[in-house]
Every structure is written in structure tokens, then in C-alpha cells.
Amino acid sequence: MTPEVLRTRNFGVDALAIIERAADAAIFERGEFRIGLSGGNTPRPVYEALARSQDAWEGWIFTFGDERCVPPDHPESNYRMVRETLLDLKPVPLGNILRIRGEEEPRLAAAEYEQELRRSCRNAPMYCHDLLLLGMGDDGHTASLFPGTEALGVTSSWAAANFVPRLNSWRVTLTLPVLNAARHVCFLVHSAGKEEMLRKVLAGDPAYPAARVRPEGGNLTWLIAE
Ligand code: 6PG
């Protein structure tokens, strides 16, 4: 599959269109929309636009690509960022949100998250997101799969605890098999400061985790804000 690379000055509008198109198709075909949310700062305006645009969440199931190992109300928490920009603005039933419990011991949090994913997909052989939103760091990481870290090699679990030496901190992340099982992966990236890394990743350099996200049977979109 050839990645679709879209450069845009209307980042929020274009990202919202991708999300809503995927939601309409998934709910029409399967009655539910499994969307994986990216952390970091880039997605903030996208989630705010989604909150303004969407009136009901029937069938929407929210998961997280990764989480920092901090409490859910910590300034670094991805859940807190998503709560502030989306979940508090248009309340979503708690049962529709599969939160990574960053407040717990990392390995336990990863194991619990995997169990929640398995329950949510009724013990299917793999959790398949309809749309998985991801970001990319300036070092080519995605979710919390950082270059040279242990979780990159994890293929037997759907979620893993990952110590990130560069940050001297623990994270919990979805593993590559889950990322690559998505029906559609959409990277949301601001190009500022990341052009050189974007060039390497889009060229497929496996040294960078974001380049290893190539959904086997799915679509891959890079939405790049100019
Ligand atoms: C996280 C994210 C991470 C993020 C990139 C880009 O927990 O930080 O999941 O993968 O997407 O670091 O972050 P920015 O969007 O802030 O540049």
C-alpha cells in the first residue's frame, strides 16, 4: 500500500473530514466506530473541532495509542488532554472510552489495557481500529514506540510498558501489530521542525518507528500541517 501524503493549511478541517468519513463508513458497515486517539499537542485543534461537530457518540469506541505513566489529571496525561479538548465538551459515555490507567504500575496498566481491548472486540484475534490517529515525534517515534526501546520488538502483546531513556520515564503503548492491524492509520503531524524526519520516515527508513507503521490490509494517510 502506498501512503497518501496530504499537505494542508486547513489541518483541523481536513482531519475532521477524515474522521467523520471513517465514522460514517464504520457505523454503516459494522454498527461501531473504533477510533484510536493520538496524544501530544498536535491533535488538540482536531479534537476540539470534532467536539464542535459531533452531536452524538452512539457506536463510537475511543482507545488511546499510548499514555504517559502519570495520573489522569496530570498535565502530561494524554487522557487529560483528550478530556479537555473532547470528552468534557461533548460528554461520551464512560463505557465508550478505553483509558490506559497511567496512574498504575506500567506493566499492570499495559496488561489491564490489553484485557479491555480484548473484551471490547469480544476476544477477536486482533483489535482492529477503524481509524487510528497517530503523531510523530522529531526522533521518528510514534505512540510511545521510541527508537531503540524495548516495546518496538513486542509482537505477542497488544499493549506494552516501555521505559524511554530519552525522557527518563515510563510509558504504556499499543504495539506495532495493533497499529498495523488498523483499517486506516492517519498520522497528524505539524511539519515545523520535522521536515527532515518526515523525509526519512516517508522514505521507509526502518530505524524510525513511525516508518514501521504500514497497515497490512489498511490505508495509510499522512496529514501534514504546513
Ligand atoms: C505522546 C504521543 C506521541 C506524539 C508525538 C508528537 O504521548 O506524546 O502519543 O507519539 O504523537 O510525540 O507529539 P506532538 O504532537 O506534541 O508533536
Side-chain angles (χ1 to χ4, degrees), residues 129-151:
H129 287 90
D130 293 298
L131 178 64
L132 177 58
L133 303 177
L134 290 173
M136 186 195 77
D138 57 10
D139 61 354
H141 80 262
T142 190
S144 281
L145 298 169
F146 286 76
T149 59
E150 197 176 305

Side-chain angles (χ1 to χ4, degrees), residues 38-43 66 68 78 135-137 141-144 171 194:
S38 173
N41 295 307
T42 300
D66 72 321
R68 291 80 181 279
N78 284 334
M136 186 195 77
H141 80 262
T142 190
S144 281
R171 298 282 189 98
K194 299 180 181 176

